[in-house]
Every structure is written in C-alpha cells, then in structure tokens.
Amino acid sequence: MTHYRTNLRDIEFNLFEVNRIQDALGTAPFADLDEDTARHILQEVDRLAREEFAASFVEGDRAEMKLVDGEVSLPEGFHRSLAAFYDAGWDKILLPESIGGAGAPNSLSWAAQELLIGANPAAFFYVSGTLMAGVIAAVGTPEQVERFARPMADRNWGGTMVLTEADAGSDVGAGTTRATHIEDDVYHLEGVKRFITSGESDFHENIIHLVLARPSDAGPGTKGLSMFIVPKFLVNEDGSIGERNGIVATAIEKKMGIKASTTCELTLGHERPCFGYLVGNVHDGIRQMFLIIEHARMLIGAKSIATLSTGYLNALEYAHERLQGADLTEARNKHAPRVPIINHPNVRRMLMEQKAHVEGMRALLYFGAWVQDQARIHPDDDGWLRLDDLLLPLIKGYSSEKAYELLALSLQVFGGSGFTQDYPIEQYIRDAKIDSVYEGTTGIQALDLFFRKIVRDQGQTLMGLAQRIQETAEPRPDDAFEAERAGLADALGHVQAHVGALVGSAMASTEEPAEIYKAALHATPLLMSLAELTIGWLLVRQADVAAAALERSPNGDGGFYEGKIAAARYFCRTVLPKTARRAAIAAAEDGSLMELADASW
C-alpha cells in the first residue's frame, strides 16, 4: 500500500473555486486547455503520483548509493518510477511550448509538481532537465536551443544547476571555478563544485549541467560570473552523443534524507578538458541562473507543503483507526469503551495545527502560481512579476520551516509507532530537513525579502499586497467571520509596524553602520509574520468561498467546506496573534546581541 496520501480535493478547490483559473483557459496564452482537460490531467497525475511514482519512495531511502568510476546506478524502482513519469508524457506540462511543451498555466504545472514531489522527492529531482531545457530555450542562442534544449525535451535528458563551491557556500560570488575562452561560445572550465543535486545517475542518456564559472578576464563577485552549458557527454553537431566531457562526479554525500538523490561533488577539467558553452553567448550568469533559482525555491516550498500534507493525512488516518483510552468525559468510568484517539483534545489540537498550516501554505503556493499566470496573461504589467518576487521567500522560507516543525506533530499523533519505519513519518522528517537549507537558507530568504523585495522596491509591492488584505479585513454587515476579519486587520497593523521598525534601523545605519544589525536580527521574524498574515488572508478568502458553497448546497460537500471554515478560524485565533509579539520585540531591539564578546558564547 502506498505511503502517499494526496489532497486533490484541496488542490482543485484552490485552482477552480478560489482562484478560478478556468476563466483564463481556452484563450491566449492557455488556448489549448479547458477546465475538463485540466481536471483530467490532475486526476491522472494524482494517480501516477500515488502509485508508480510513490512505489520506490522507501527503496530509494534504504538503497546504498555508490559512486564507481564516476558513475552512480539508481535503484531499479527509481528506473521504473521515472520511466512511468516520462512514458505518461507529464514532463510536457513542465516544458514551454517552444520545445514541445503543453503551454500549461503555472497553476496547473505547480499542482502536478506538488503531487509528484510529495510522492517521491528524491526521484522528482531527476526530472529537473525539464527546467534546465526551458531556461536554455528562453536565454540560449538558437544553436544552443536546437543542440541542447530540444533533445533534453525530446529524449528526456537530465539537468542540474551547478553553483555551490565548498569554500564559498552561500556566498556564490566567492566561487573560483574558471572559464578560459577557446572560440565562439566554447570555453574550457576548471574547478570543483559541491552539493550538486542529482548530479550523476545512470537513468538519463545525457545530463546537461548549467554551471556558474568566472571567465579569465572577469571581475570579482557575482557580476563576474557567467553561466555555461556543460554536457556530461558531448553532443555532436548532428545531435548524436559524443565522448565523455571532462565533468565527473568525484564524491557523493552521505545524507540524513533524500538519499537516492545523488548529491555530488563535481570536478571539472581535471583529467580531461571540460567543454562549456556560454549561455546565450553573453556574460549574464547571475540573471540567467536566477531563472533556475527562483523556480527551485518555489519547488522546495511545494515539496515542504506536499510532505507536511501527506504527513498530516497519514496521522489523520491513524487517529481515526487507533483505539486508545476512554473519552475524557468518561475518564473515571473503568468500563468506558476505548475511543479513537481523534476524540482526545490534544490529538485534535495537533491535527488542526497541521491542517490549518498545510492548507494555508498550499493556498499561498497556488496564489503565487496564479500571480505567475497573471504575469503571462499581462506581460506588459511588471507589477505581477514584482508580486511574484515578494511571495517567493514566503513560499520557500516559511513553508520549509513550518513543514519540518509540524511534521513532528504528525509523528506525535502516532506516538511510539511514528518513530519506527513501520510508518513513513520518520522518513518524511529526514527528507524535509534539507528544505530550509536548499536554495538559500531561511535567513538568506529573509534578507532577500526585506532588503531587495521591500526596501529596494520602496515598499510599493508590499503596499499593494496590504491593500488586498485590507479589503478582505473590512467589516461587513451580518458577517459570520467578523472576529477573523478583525484579527486579520490587527495582524496587518502589527506587520506594518514590524516593517517600520526595520526600515528605521536600515535608514539609521547610513550614519551609524551598526544599526543595520537590528534590521537583520528581525528579518526572519518579519518573514514569518508576513507569511502568516498572507496565509491568514488567504484562509479567510477560502472561508468566504466555503460559506457561499454551503449556502448554495447545504447537503453537498459539507464536511470539506466546514473544515475550510474551521481552519481559517483556528489560524486567525491562534497564529495571527504572534505577529504582535514579533513586532514588539523588533521595536525594542537594542543590538546588544551583536556586542556580546566571543568568550561569552
């Protein structure tokens, strides 16, 4: 029986009842899709995710990955799972139309990705060639598109993003991998990269690495980096596979989770020349690489949400089945029947904590996907792209932190059984811990949110989001959600005060440089508060939709809609008040933590 519990009902609620993506289907740029087709795609991806794709989840965790002469053999089950994905053609949902993709809305693409990456994250990382092919199609030269992007799409080649170096870590601009110009767009690359996700496997015919390196005549920092197409096997002009290129896996990491995703050290140009092709034949590496990074950050948010979702749904199923103890009202009755543990107050509290957060984070993910759809529908309005930029650190940073934290509650519902490998929760927790580290730690996401997405933007996009929240928070006559709207309005004020405190410290740092520490100390709490404010807003919107659905059809899907209302009320009552405390702490910051002597730690 599969470990994976999906929530297709909630995904469809977000897409079709709240965000109403069907209103944009059938017209450009989504002219080839209608609602029925979109729903059918989701149903089929859901089935694949639960069955063939999830089937190798445990096998991948238990198998020992070995590097032999620069090659890694994946478990047999992974071969079957990946083949099922490609054979079904679902890679086309993730590809642009220019290289054979379906031209699907981002909302539909992200729904498919949530379903698949939750089923088997280690396996899903091996289909990243679709993302890399799309990037090459967007910014590569016409020759590079035909030579690399098209066969990546047509022949299911793998792909990786290659940034990190051991001594540089998150300081990408400190990278030392060198690129020496040979001719035209051809360079020789030399260096060592580390922590490269799925950097080696025996599934794909070829792997295309997108590598950041510094040309010999380039300056320091990130501006001096360029991006290169570096194939595992060279590609001849007629499209046939040539000899092995000089990029080789020289180590794979032993990890606590996602073990079958080969996290590699890649050595370039050591025993043989490593040929790379300058992407677009222009030196614009960081901007080009951020096309990958931004997608990867949202993908990690989707991974976190999907993992917490299946953790919660497994725990919910167990809570209905596990009989233990009498109802608390019958505690003194020695003959009282044993009841399912979902009857116990603390279990209900833990389950609702998970439900409210995972459904709220899913709402955040699909609101972000809807914003990306709007950017495609309205390409001349850059406000959608700015809103997308603002949301990304919330989707990635908040979701990765909360999913790991709340998976502990999923395990707690199981009690001691959750700590064993009889249930998947312990693997979920190990697989999820990397999410807050991947693609920029939460602290980096928070600095990006405050200094780039708020301060550099002069708060314009944040104010636009605040206006949307304020409209939902406005009192209404005969309102069933009066308390929730009031809580939303209060939280909005606290988040604005929190932002104001940090902006004040940033401005003061122009004369007193140490003042910048105060802003940085409270950037991560700001990320948490802004994410919770946005989630609270989205859950109240969902409660409005659910209440209207119940009024239209009281005998319909009542349990689902009542659960939506309950989640919104719980979140507004128990989570939104945290914004007040964080704002007060930020306002009172004195900076003394940064003055503490090394000997005092």
Side-chain angles (χ1 to χ4, degrees):
M1 187 176 182
T2 180
H3 75 94
Y4 193 36
R5 306 289 182 266
T6 62
N7 198 337
L8 184 59
R9 178 69 182 89
D10 194 35
I11 291 172
E12 291 181 329
F13 174 74
N14 276 275
L15 297 187
F16 300 112
E17 297 183 60
V18 178
N19 296 336
R20 292 194 58 80
I21 69 165
Q22 64 269 34
D23 294 345
L25 300 179
T27 59
F30 314 124
D32 294 334
L33 283 173
D34 58 24
E35 181 178 349
D36 288 343
T37 303
R39 287 182 181 272
H40 176 71
I41 288 171
L42 288 174
Q43 290 164 5
E44 289 301 309
V45 174
D46 179 77
R47 185 206 59 76
L48 175 75
R50 287 184 288 103
E51 296 176 7
E52 296 98 327
F53 211 71
S56 58
F57 175 72
V58 173
E59 180 185 358
D61 184 66
R62 308 295 190 265
E64 183 180 359
M65 306 299 290
K66 295 181 180 180
L67 180 66
V68 180
D69 297 329
E71 302 281 348
V72 174
S73 296
L74 295 184
E76 283 302 313
F78 263 52
H79 280 264
R80 291 190 294 271
S81 292
L82 291 168
F85 167 78
Y86 286 113
D87 289 347
W90 297 129
D91 56 308
K92 301 301 183 283
I93 300 178
L94 314 181
L95 289 166
E97 287 182 286
S98 63
I99 52 173
N106 290 53
S107 295
L108 187 61
S109 172
W110 281 115
Q113 290 177 84
E114 183 203 328
L115 289 166
L116 290 161
I117 201 167
N120 199 338
F124 192 72
F125 287 143
Y126 287 104
V127 308
S128 294
T130 55
L131 170 60
M132 310 309 162
V135 170
I136 296 172
V139 296
T141 65
E143 181 191 11
Q144 290 169 352
V145 173
E146 293 303 314
R147 192 173 185 181
F148 300 109
R150 197 166 295 282
M152 291 176 78
D154 294 342
R155 293 154 64 177
N156 304 332
W157 289 358
T160 71
M161 56 187 298
V162 184
L163 291 81
T164 307
E165 298 181 16
D167 292 336
S170 297
D171 185 8
V172 176
T176 60
T177 297
R178 308 297 297 181
T180 303
H181 188 220
I182 304 302
E183 60 180 358
D184 299 326
D185 64 345
V186 183
Y187 286 71
H188 280 171
L189 275 62
E190 294 180 284
V192 179
K193 297 285 188 175
R194 195 182 181 196
F195 296 138
I196 308 307
T197 299
S198 305
E200 175 56 44
S201 80
D202 64 343
F203 179 81
H204 302 286
E205 176 188 38
N206 203 356
I207 300 173
I208 302 299
H209 305 281
L210 293 181
V211 181
L212 281 185
R214 194 179 308 279
S216 303
D217 57 352
T222 56
K223 291 184 178 180
L225 296 172
S226 299
M227 189 163 79
F228 299 87
I229 297 167
V230 183
K232 175 180 175 180
F233 293 98
L234 297 173
V235 181
N236 299 321
E237 291 186 5
D238 64 359
S240 62
I241 298 293
E243 64 182 17
R244 182 70 187 259
N245 197 9
I247 181 168
V248 180
T250 45
I252 56 173
E253 305 295 341
K254 303 293 185 182
K255 310 190 297 284
M256 68 180 281
I258 55 168
K259 294 181 178 180
S261 171
T262 49
T263 305
C264 295
E265 173 190 85
L266 293 178
T267 299
L268 296 77
H270 177 54
E271 294 183 346
R272 67 176 70 187
C274 177
F275 291 92
Y277 304 86
L278 181 65
V279 176
N281 209 12
V282 294
H283 296 284
D284 197 15
I286 284 296
R287 186 190 69 82
Q288 293 169 338
M289 186 61 82
F290 257 90
L291 297 175
I292 305 171
I293 292 171
E294 289 174 351
H295 182 101
R297 287 177 173 175
M298 192 149 167
L299 180 63
I300 296 307
K303 173 182 177 293
S304 300
I305 293 161
T307 304
L308 177 59
S309 181
T310 186
Y312 158 65
L313 293 173
N314 271 277
L316 178 63
E317 183 178 286
Y318 183 83
H320 280 291
E321 296 172 351
R322 172 64 168 160
L323 300 179
Q324 183 173 303
D327 188 275
L328 196 58
T329 61
E330 298 285 339
R332 296 182 180 181
N333 181 0
K334 295 181 180 180
H335 302 290
R338 307 301 90 179
V339 298
I341 62 173
I342 195 171
N343 288 28
H344 300 318
N346 190 54
V347 173
R348 289 203 161 209
R349 179 193 62 82
M350 291 190 292
L351 289 171
M352 182 53 76
E353 186 81 4
Q354 295 167 70
K355 174 182 170 65
H357 277 87
V358 73
E359 292 182 9
M361 293 188 300
R362 181 177 286 120
L364 180 62
L365 173 70
Y366 290 119
F367 177 65
W370 177 83
V371 167
Q372 292 175 0
D373 288 343
Q374 301 311 303
R376 292 173 64 185
I377 295 168
H378 308 287
D380 295 331
D381 184 354
D382 67 350
W384 295 111
L385 291 176
R386 292 201 307 271
L387 181 54
D388 179 44
D389 285 343
L390 179 70
L391 294 171
L392 275 176
L394 308 182
I395 294 169
K396 193 276 181 187
Y398 186 82
S399 299
S400 62
E401 291 285 350
K402 292 305 291 189
Y404 181 70
E405 173 188 329
L406 294 176
L407 280 166
L409 290 187
S410 301
L411 188 151
Q412 193 75 12
V413 171
F414 280 89
S417 295
F419 200 65
T420 71
Q421 293 187 336
D422 295 338
Y423 295 95
I425 307 299
E426 62 86 26
Q427 186 177 338
Y428 291 164
I429 290 175
R430 289 186 288 105
D431 285 355
K433 181 58 220 143
I434 188 62
D435 294 350
S436 62
V437 178
Y438 263 146
E439 314 308 337
T441 63
T442 308
I444 290 172
Q445 302 297 320
L447 295 177
D448 173 67
L449 171 68
F450 178 68
F451 288 106
R452 292 180 181 164
K453 309 301 173 56
I454 295 177
V455 173
R456 187 178 297 178
D457 185 55
Q458 297 182 320
Q460 293 300 308
T461 304
L462 180 61
M463 285 190 287
L465 178 61
Q467 180 60 39
R468 291 172 181 266
I469 296 170
Q470 182 61 50
E471 289 172 2
T472 300
E474 290 292 336
R476 305 179 187 185
D478 300 321
D479 187 11
F481 305 117
E482 179 181 1
E484 288 71 33
R485 294 190 209 284
L488 196 58
D490 286 345
L492 176 59
H494 295 311
V495 170
Q496 290 171 328
H498 194 152
V499 171
L502 271 58
V503 168
S505 297
M507 292 178 64
S509 71
T510 58
E511 295 190 6
E512 294 289 338
E515 288 292 303
I516 201 67
Y517 292 142
K518 295 181 180 179
L521 282 166
H522 296 278
T524 297
L526 174 63
L527 183 151
M528 305 301 279
S529 285
L530 181 56
E532 288 170 352
L533 170 66
T534 307
I535 287 170
W537 165 59
L538 293 169
L539 287 177
V540 172
R541 287 178 66 210
Q542 290 195 353
D544 283 332
V545 172
L550 284 170
E551 186 174 343
R552 287 193 306 270
S553 181
N555 298 320
D557 197 1
F560 174 81
Y561 292 122
E562 288 167 0
K564 281 292 172 190
I565 293 170
R569 285 183 165 146
Y570 182 89
F571 196 92
C572 290
R573 183 173 65 249
T574 66
V575 179
L576 288 185
K578 297 176 184 179
T579 60
R581 183 61 179 157
R582 294 192 194 107
I585 294 171
E589 179 59 57
D590 62 3
S592 59
L593 189 62
M594 300 304 297
E595 298 170 359
L596 192 63
D598 289 351
S600 300
W601 288 95

